[in-house]
């Protein structure tokens, strides 16, 4: 496989949204430009939060189409878009799930990745997540993920994707919280966030279904 160029944040966001919605809202996949824009600019389950314009998205889609990472189709009067990550990167669906979460939410620990990818693929345990991460890291065609240096006070390392190069490291965690603070971040807070995000995702799915019905009816 030829080496991919470094992708922009918006290009990886587009890929992440397409891969996410393929699993979570298959009835609306492939996505229309409006639905894709809403997914890219979503306020939850995204880090960083962005505000991409339609022109920005069209430019990103054009670039990804030239790399065969995105495919375009016409359904009725609406152009729709689908990803081609598995074939181009030659990776299994489990690895696509992990890359998707990393592209959408930024660097995460193994525990966070397992929790956040639950709707895309249910990993049996943390070691299964680690196994696929190690495969993505040790690929002969070039690493797609990498471990980041352990943050002060953290018990687990975070992983990042490399499709956009190495990310800028965030500021160190405030001192004084101790190990208990790290435990809270990984387990309790992550679980609560996931529950809230699931509810908001369900609302987003309802809006997308309504939008698709409106388009199909010519409203």
């Amino acid at each position: 496989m030829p080496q991919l160029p470094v992708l922009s944040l918006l290009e990886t966001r587009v890929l992440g949204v397409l891969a996410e919605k393929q699993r979570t809202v298959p009835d609306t996949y492939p996505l229309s430009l409006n639905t894709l824009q809403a997914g890219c600019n979503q306020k939850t389950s995204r880090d960083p939060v962005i505000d991409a314009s339609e022109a920005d998205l069209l430019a990103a889609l054009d670039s990804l189409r030239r790399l065969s990472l995105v495919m375009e189709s016409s359904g009725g009067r609406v152009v729709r878009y689908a990803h081609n990550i598995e074939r181009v990167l030659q990776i299994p669906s489990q690895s696509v799930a992990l890359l998707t979460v990393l592209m959408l939410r930024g660097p995460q620990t193994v525990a966070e990745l397992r929790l956040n990818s639950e709707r895309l693929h249910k990993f049996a345990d943390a070691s299964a997540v680690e196994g696929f991460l190690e495969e993505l890291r040790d690929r002969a065609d070039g690493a797609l993920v990498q471990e980041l240096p352990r943050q002060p006070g953290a018990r687990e390392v975070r992983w990042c994707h490399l499709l956009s190069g190495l990310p800028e490291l965030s500021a160190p965690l405030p001192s004084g919280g101790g190990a208990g603070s790290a435990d809270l971040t990984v387990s309790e807070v992550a679980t609560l966030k996931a529950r809230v995000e699931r509810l908001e995702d369900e609302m987003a799915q309802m809006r997308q279904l309504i939008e698709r019905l409106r388009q199909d009816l010519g409203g």
Side-chain angles (χ1 to χ4, degrees):
M1 182 192 76
Q3 188 71 31
L4 285 175
V6 175
L7 303 180
S8 69
L9 169 63
L10 182 54
E11 288 167 350
T12 58
R13 178 62 56 86
V14 166
L15 287 177
V17 169
L18 289 172
E20 177 192 54
K21 301 307 181 186
Q22 179 188 25
R23 297 286 183 177
T24 59
V25 282
D27 289 345
T28 65
Y29 185 84
L31 302 184
S32 67
L33 184 62
N34 286 342
T35 304
L36 178 59
Q37 184 176 22
C40 287
N41 295 341
Q42 197 171 299
K43 304 304 181 189
T44 60
S45 308
R46 303 290 184 262
D47 186 12
V49 173
I50 63 173
D51 186 18
S53 68
E54 185 174 303
D56 294 333
L57 280 174
L58 288 172
L61 285 164
D62 187 53
S63 176
L64 292 169
R65 205 163 41 233
R66 289 197 298 269
L67 296 171
S68 300
L69 283 165
V70 162
M71 301 173 291
E72 182 181 305
S73 61
S74 296
R77 293 168 296 180
V78 180
V79 177
R80 297 188 177 276
Y81 302 93
H83 75 87
N84 197 25
I85 298 174
E86 290 179 46
R87 177 175 293 182
V88 173
L89 299 183
Q90 299 174 13
I91 57 176
S93 60
Q94 297 95 323
S95 297
V96 173
L98 294 174
L99 276 181
T100 297
V101 175
L102 289 170
M103 288 190 286
L104 294 178
R105 296 171 178 250
Q108 294 158 78
T109 66
V110 167
E112 290 168 334
L113 281 169
R114 186 186 176 204
L115 177 66
N116 292 330
S117 64
E118 188 175 32
R119 298 179 67 206
L120 308 179
H121 180 82
K122 289 185 182 294
F123 290 95
D125 49 36
S127 63
V129 175
E130 289 174 338
F132 282 101
L133 288 171
E134 288 166 1
E135 286 182 6
L136 289 170
R137 181 194 61 195
D138 300 334
R139 282 164 33 100
D141 291 330
L144 293 176
V145 300
Q146 179 174 311
E147 294 165 279
L148 294 173
R150 193 185 305 273
Q151 291 184 310
R155 299 181 62 181
E156 296 183 67
V157 298
R158 295 182 303 160
W159 291 75
C160 68
H161 75 83
L162 297 177
L163 293 172
S164 298
L166 276 171
E168 293 184 12
L169 298 181
S170 57
L173 296 173
S175 59
S181 180
D183 290 340
L184 180 65
T185 300
V186 172
S187 56
E188 297 178 11
V189 174
T191 300
L192 289 171
K193 284 176 62 179
R195 288 175 180 169
V196 172
E197 288 165 358
R198 278 196 202 99
L199 290 172
E200 292 177 335
D201 283 347
E202 288 172 5
M203 292 177 64
Q205 291 170 28
M206 292 290 292
R207 288 194 292 268
Q208 290 167 10
L209 287 170
I210 292 169
E211 171 66 16
R212 184 161 188 175
L213 285 171
R214 187 187 67 79
Q215 292 173 353
D216 290 343
L217 293 172

